[in-house]
Amino acid sequence: TNDGTNGNEDVKSVNLTGFGLVNTIPSEIWQLSSLESVYFSDNVVDLSFEDISQAKKIKHIAISSADVHSLKGISGAPETLKTLRLQRNKLDSIDELYEVKSLTHLNLGFSSIDGTLSTKIGQLSNLVHLKMEQNKLTGTIPTEISKLQSLELLTLSGNSMSGTVPEELDQIATLTELYLDSQQEFGGFSGPVPAFSTAQLKTLDLSRNSLTGSIPNNFYEAVRNSGDHDVYAYDTIDLSSNQITGDIPENFDDFVGIFINLANNKISGVPGDLCDDDDEFMNGMVGKLEENKCDAILCPAGTSLPLGRQVDKDVVCQPCPGDTAAERKTQAPYFGSIRCKGISKDRVILEKLWNMIFTDASEDRNWGSVESVCTWYGITCDPDGDEDSVTEVKLENNQLRADDPEAASQLFGELPSLKKLNIRGNSQLPLVLDLMKNLPNLELLQLSNTGLTTMSGIGEASSLEEFHVTQNDISGTIPDEL
């Protein structure tokens, strides 16, 4: 298109979106002296930016879902360039982009960008929208992000970033939408839940990361205390699938019509005040339920639904299997469970051992609780294995005693992933070794000072690398099977 005064000399816009074009766009396009906009999205085309400095009036470039690989030369773009949309390409480097300080809208999503987000991001101080979702970014968010004082939207979802969520994001007064979700390939963002106490966010997505601790009391403080309810009503906050603990803060009652997703965390309670008179919470679902209104926020412990909350007034939170509330909570110990995990075989075995060999003098922190057995004193699990997959039992000098050594030995022998067993210093816990033949992965067996009288059966431990039996009552000859 042009302004109609001087024919082709005044071409202002070239829009060939979805024309079925292939190969490389001629670089002469930058010689159009009045060119302001270029749109070549949805074509299998490449474009060189080597001569972009000739396009003195260029403002907008959109070549998404194309075949662009290199941004070499983009640093020479004139200061008129405001919008650059290159999502869904395969870009090999974006280093030169940090020199295009005039940009206000930058979209590089789904473009196979790897490496870290440079500290030079702070040079793009005019950015209003920055979208870099679904790339291969690693490392942390640089603190220089706080220099983007005009930023309204930041999207870094679906990368492999890590570290803590920088407090500097709270210093961007203009920021209203923040998406940092789905960073779980390498654990994602960790550390405490950020407060965003001064931010004016309307949408926040930190789901599918590794955030820990409880929600701070000053969370979203500026929004909660804002008198402009028309602006901040119906905020959307997604903190699901992290490791967040504790109760939902009671001051959440100050929100107006908030939607907050806390499913699949370790939440221990939902204050009843959130459900009594806040019918607009959770897209109005709280108001639609006549009973158990808090289920619209999170299903209670011992129950589950695929989304961790009730989203249909006719589909209630489903109780987990079990004859008692305690048994059901074992399978869904927290509010907002998305499924009943079932009682693992290793948990059943350890609970039997707890009842059988522990005494009043034994350290048994977390044993018998609804917490994962991986948190029980002396227990180590396989981080890459199934949930509650026990690889090590270390209960040395713990005042354990077996009135029935054969039964205790049988239970230890039923932990299929066990690699290390250390019960040294429990002088009344002599194991029967030939009952441990079901431990093909056992590498270390520490039975010193346990009252052991024979090594018979040790040959069954075919993977054993270390065997300690000092300070026992073993007599006779050393068995050939050793």
Side-chain angles (χ1 to χ4, degrees):
T1 60
N2 58 43
D3 62 9
T5 58
N6 294 314
N8 292 339
E9 294 181 4
D10 288 323
V11 173
K12 300 180 69 173
S13 177
V14 177
N15 188 344
L16 295 175
T17 301
F19 266 59
L21 305 179
V22 296
N23 295 324
T24 301
I25 300 168
S27 60
E28 286 80 2
I29 193 171
W30 303 125
Q31 297 176 15
L32 296 170
S33 58
S34 297
L35 189 65
E36 295 181 0
S37 304
V38 172
Y39 304 107
F40 281 99
S41 297
D42 300 317
N43 293 289
V44 188
V45 294
D46 194 4
L47 175 62
S48 171
F49 295 96
E50 294 273 7
D51 299 320
I52 193 173
S53 60
Q54 299 180 52
K56 302 297 185 181
K57 297 183 179 180
I58 191 69
K59 296 179 180 179
H60 310 291
I61 301 173
I63 317 177
S64 59
S65 300
D67 196 32
V68 179
H69 296 280
S70 175
L71 298 182
K72 186 177 181 181
I74 193 69
S75 60
E79 293 182 358
T80 54
L81 185 59
K82 303 298 183 183
T83 303
L84 184 60
R85 305 186 191 281
L86 295 175
Q87 66 267 32
R88 299 186 184 277
N89 284 285
K90 292 184 178 180
L91 304 176
D92 53 14
S93 174
I94 63 171
D95 288 346
E96 286 196 40
L97 264 180
Y98 299 117
E99 304 302 322
V100 190
K101 301 175 184 179
S102 59
L103 285 173
T104 60
H105 292 73
L106 178 59
N107 191 336
L108 301 174
F110 298 88
S111 291
S112 301
I113 301 168
D114 57 16
T116 60
L117 189 60
S118 173
T119 57
K120 294 181 180 179
I121 191 66
Q123 297 178 183
L124 304 181
S125 58
N126 290 306
L127 278 179
V128 176
H129 286 187
L130 174 57
K131 301 186 69 176
M132 297 184 70
E133 73 273 23
Q134 299 295 331
N135 281 293
K136 301 176 182 178
L137 294 173
T138 57
T140 61
I141 299 176
T143 57
E144 287 78 3
I145 198 83
S146 65
K147 296 180 180 180
L148 309 185
Q149 285 296 310
S150 297
L151 196 64
E152 296 177 3
L153 180 148
L154 174 60
T155 301
L156 294 171
S157 306
N159 282 286
S160 298
M161 304 185 77
S162 57
T164 59
V165 178
E167 295 179 358
E168 286 76 7
L169 287 171
D170 200 10
Q171 300 172 12
I172 305 176
T174 55
L175 191 63
T176 58
E177 296 181 69
L178 177 60
Y179 303 90
L180 303 178
D181 56 289
S182 307
Q183 307 283 339
Q184 287 194 335
E185 183 176 351
F186 297 103
F189 294 111
S190 58
V193 179
F196 292 112
S197 59
T198 63
Q200 305 293 322
L201 290 168
K202 286 186 62 64
T203 302
L204 172 66
D205 193 344
L206 296 175
S207 63
R208 300 178 185 174
N209 281 289
S210 300
L211 300 177
T212 56
S214 58
I215 301 172
N217 283 327
N218 62 340
F219 183 78
Y220 259 54
E221 190 168 50
V223 172
R224 284 188 291 104
N225 295 333
S226 172
D228 198 347
H229 289 169
D230 290 337
V231 173
Y232 294 108
Y234 312 109
D235 272 26
T236 298
I237 302 171
D238 195 342
L239 300 175
S240 62
S241 298
N242 281 279
Q243 299 293 318
I244 300 170
T245 56
D247 293 355
I248 298 177
E250 292 186 2
N251 59 25
F252 271 38
D253 194 36
D254 297 336
F255 283 111
V256 177
I258 192 175
F259 177 91
I260 182 164
N261 186 358
L262 281 164
N264 199 29
N265 278 287
K266 296 182 177 181
I267 301 298
S268 52
V270 178
D273 289 347
L274 298 187
C275 322
D276 290 344
D277 55 5
D278 295 288
D279 288 352
E280 294 182 339
F281 272 27
M282 309 304 289
N283 293 335
M285 181 53 63
V286 170
K288 293 177 182 178
L289 299 184
E290 297 180 0
E291 298 180 347
N292 302 320
K293 287 176 173 286
C294 284
D295 290 6
I297 298 175
L298 290 175
C299 287
T303 69
S304 72
L305 277 176
L307 294 179
R309 64 184 186 278
Q310 190 169 347
V311 297
D312 185 323
K313 65 179 182 178
D314 297 321
V315 182
V316 301
C317 297
Q318 299 298 303
C320 296
D323 295 330
T324 65
E327 289 180 357
R328 291 189 287 272
K329 287 182 179 181
T330 298
Q331 300 183 58
Y334 305 108
F335 281 68
S337 293
I338 60 176
R339 63 182 178 276
C340 299
K341 68 178 183 179
I343 302 175
S344 69
K345 179 182 177 182
D346 285 11
R347 175 182 286 271
V348 172
I349 292 169
L350 292 180
E351 287 183 344
K352 289 181 178 179
L353 283 168
W354 179 51
N355 291 318
M356 181 181 297
I357 65 175
F358 279 69
T359 66
D360 292 340
S362 302
E363 170 62 65
D364 64 348
R365 185 170 62 253
N366 280 351
W367 279 72
S369 73
V370 297
E371 300 289 339
S372 167
V373 301
C374 307
T375 69
W376 293 8
Y377 174 78
I379 301 299
T380 300
C381 298
D382 181 1
D384 300 319
D386 295 334
E387 188 173 13
D388 291 357
S389 180
V390 176
T391 57
E392 180 177 2
V393 177
K394 187 176 182 180
L395 295 170
E396 58 184 5
N397 301 312
N398 200 35
Q399 301 294 317
L400 305 178
R401 182 181 68 239
D403 295 328
D404 187 347
E406 184 171 322
S409 302
Q410 183 73 48
L411 289 173
F412 279 119
E414 291 177 0
L415 294 170
S417 300
L418 192 64
K419 293 183 178 181
K420 298 180 180 180
L421 175 59
N422 181 353
I423 55 172
R424 176 179 62 182
N426 295 286
S427 59
Q428 300 182 64
L429 189 57
L431 298 187
V432 181
L433 299 184
D434 58 7
L435 292 176
M436 304 182 70
K437 56 187 176 184
N438 295 324
L439 297 176
N441 301 309
L442 191 65
E443 299 172 356
L444 181 147
L445 186 57
Q446 171 54 275
L447 302 179
S448 295
N449 190 21
T450 57
L452 195 67
T453 58
T454 177
M455 290 185 284
S456 176
I458 191 60
E460 299 287 350
S462 57
S463 298
L464 199 63
E465 297 175 2
E466 293 188 44
F467 182 42
H468 302 270
V469 288
T470 60
Q471 296 178 281
N472 279 301
D473 296 322
I474 300 170
S475 59
T477 59
I478 296 176
D480 292 341
E481 61 184 303
L482 184 60

